[in-house]
Amino acid sequence: LWAAAELREGRIERAGRLFALAERGYKQVSSGPWPTDTELHREVLTELRSTLGDRYEQMLAAARDVDYDEAIADLTRSEQSAD
């Protein structure tokens, strides 16, 4: 999970945005994380909810309303410019 790496680096907002987009993707395809990623997914979810509080739910709502491909592209571009 890309969000887990961002979380470890202390980039909480970015991790939240990525995780929210991943959750949207899972819902769109009626799926979930791979079985091998289930525990990590649960850990990231718990930490984001704890750290972000109400902001986490706001990020989920925002992820439902954006152009998915553009949001991922924006996050990718911002990652490249941070290097």
Side-chain angles (χ1 to χ4, degrees):
L1 293 169
W2 187 8
E6 294 295 335
L7 197 55
R8 284 190 206 112
E9 293 294 321
R11 295 187 287 258
I12 307 301
E13 288 287 317
R14 186 177 175 81
R17 288 177 60 207
L18 285 163
F19 197 82
L21 288 168
E23 291 295 288
R24 174 183 165 180
Y26 290 142
K27 283 188 183 222
Q28 283 181 325
V29 297
S30 301
S31 185
W34 285 96
T36 55
D37 293 333
T38 301
E39 184 60 31
L40 179 59
H41 182 269
R42 191 176 354 221
E43 290 170 10
V44 171
L45 172 63
T46 299
E47 188 163 346
L48 286 173
R49 279 187 171 154
S50 172
T51 304
L52 293 169
D54 291 338
R55 180 86 177 102
Y56 174 76
E57 293 301 324
Q58 293 169 356
M59 287 180 169
L60 287 176
R64 288 189 293 264
D65 296 331
V66 298
D67 179 280
Y68 189 83
D69 293 330
E70 186 60 32
I72 294 295
D74 286 345
L75 286 165
T76 302
R77 282 191 295 270
S78 66
E79 175 65 18
Q80 291 170 351
S81 64
D83 289 341

